Amino acid sequence: MPRPRVLVSNDDGINAPGIKALISELVKANVADVYVCAPSGERSAQSHAITLGRYMSCVPAECTAGVVEAYAVDGTPADSVMLALCSPVFQDLSFDLVVSGINRGDNCGLHVIYSGTVGAAREAACKGVPAIAFSLDNHLARKADDYALSAVLSVALVRAALGLLPGQDPSKPAPAASLRGVVLNVNFPISQGQMLQGMYLARQSVACVFPAFKEVTEAPGPHLAEIDEHTPNSRVFRNYAGMVQEDQEEGGDAWALKNGWVSVTPLSLTSHITTKQEPRSDTIVAATSDIITRAAAEAGLAAGGIAKL
């Protein structure tokens, strides 16, 4: 059986502590060849934006020992994954799985629409590669150690998705094979250690943070080139976090996080409304349930919400 290849990206930038913790744990687990292609700097809330009309630079990056190749891209998270999958940057290699994160801050509910972390994973799913987005519900996590447990649990989910945990038959297709065109959106709770309940198969909630724009009279920092901050009659605003739209209905990702569960939510690429269930729904939920059950068992945790979507 050929050794699997895993591509790692994110939206916090290639030097962010979350991606460093994830890469280190993947290399330590030694279950796949690890490649990295991520933005050169902070690209949060870029959703699925891609760069058109200008060149993009892609440069070799210093990375954790054991990584096969790593590149920093002066583009968006989706750009980084698109470049890795659809250009000769990695000599046109194919990948068995793309993982994005670990993001600083959750990506539950409607935040998946804005998230560059999810956008990077979604780009992989658009190209037919199974993908997982990882986020930690802790905006104060600024050191690699803050992501240590999340990284261990991430790798357990990766191993389960690739069919590499004890008890998984290597002669059968890995669960990830049923997740092409799907993003597994994983959120780790801020309460970890002994307070961690387990892994929960959750639906997407409608929780989100509304903006609280503030107008400023003299704004430091970058502006769009088309409008200078000193242009007559120019008004300058800054987007701050405002009111929180809660959604604590049991079974949702926001509910799971608040109650100490790792939420795992399969996200489709399509957004249309239908009266009929998607033909692959049962297969996708079954594969996700299998991944959660096996990864939770590997980590000594409970599995919740299984097959209840």
Side-chain angles (χ1 to χ4, degrees):
M1 181 177 177
R3 186 173 167 85
R5 287 189 286 262
V6 173
L7 173 69
V8 184
S9 193
N10 74 342
D11 75 355
D12 289 333
I14 197 165
N15 293 314
I19 194 172
K20 287 185 174 181
L22 177 58
I23 293 168
S24 294
E25 203 60 38
L26 283 168
V27 169
K28 180 180 172 183
N30 194 32
V31 294
D33 291 336
V34 179
Y35 295 75
V36 181
C37 195
S40 55
E42 174 76 40
R43 303 288 191 276
S44 293
Q46 292 293 293
S47 187
H48 205 124
I50 59 173
T51 299
L52 300 173
R54 73 166 178 86
Y55 297 110
M56 277 191 300
S57 296
C58 175
V59 296
E62 293 286 336
C63 217
T64 304
V67 168
V68 180
E69 284 186 87
Y71 289 92
V73 179
D74 68 342
T76 68
D79 282 332
S80 300
V81 172
M82 186 182 289
L83 196 68
L85 300 181
C86 302
S87 83
V89 67
F90 289 126
Q91 296 80 47
D92 298 309
L93 289 176
S94 61
F95 292 92
D96 299 280
L97 185 69
V98 172
V99 296
S100 179
I102 301 169
N103 188 66
R104 181 170 64 88
D106 78 274
N107 279 305
C108 285
L110 299 183
H111 291 168
V112 303
I113 297 170
Y114 306 101
S115 168
T117 302
V118 176
R122 190 189 299 114
E123 176 56 32
C126 285
K127 301 302 183 282
V129 183
I132 309 178
F134 295 114
S135 302
L136 172 62
D137 183 24
N138 183 0
H139 287 279
L140 300 178
R142 303 196 180 265
K143 308 186 302 297
D145 287 349
D146 295 329
Y147 297 86
L149 179 56
S150 299
V152 170
L153 298 178
S154 296
V155 171
L157 287 162
V158 166
R159 293 174 65 197
L162 293 174
L164 300 175
L165 287 180
Q168 291 182 290
D169 188 345
S171 67
K172 294 182 179 179
S178 299
L179 298 176
R180 298 186 188 281
V182 174
V183 173
L184 288 190
N185 187 35
V186 179
N187 285 274
F188 300 102
I190 193 169
S191 55
Q192 299 196 27
Q194 293 183 346
M195 297 179 68
L196 187 64
Q197 298 293 322
M199 298 184 182
Y200 197 97
L201 177 60
R203 67 177 180 278
Q204 182 186 348
S205 67
V206 294
C208 69
V209 177
F210 278 68
F213 285 102
K214 292 184 181 180
E215 188 166 5
V216 295
T217 55
E218 193 67 28
H223 295 267
L224 287 176
E226 293 89 347
I227 303 176
D228 185 85
E229 62 183 289
H230 300 296
T231 301
N233 301 318
S234 172
R235 299 176 69 184
V236 181
F237 296 86
R238 176 71 185 269
N239 188 347
Y240 292 91
M243 181 191 75
V244 177
Q245 175 175 286
E246 295 279 5
D247 180 2
Q248 285 298 313
E249 185 175 347
E250 184 172 346
D253 51 12
W255 170 89
L257 263 196
K258 190 170 184 177
N259 286 276
W261 292 92
V262 177
S263 69
V264 184
T265 305
L267 302 176
S268 171
L269 294 179
T270 55
S271 303
H272 64 280
I273 296 173
T274 177
T275 58
K276 296 181 180 179
Q277 187 180 31
E278 184 180 326
R280 293 177 59 215
S281 293
D282 289 342
T283 301
I284 291 167
V285 172
T288 306
S289 297
D290 182 47
I291 291 169
I292 292 172
T293 301
R294 293 183 184 278
E298 175 73 4
L301 298 172
I306 298 303
K308 288 185 180 179
L309 288 185

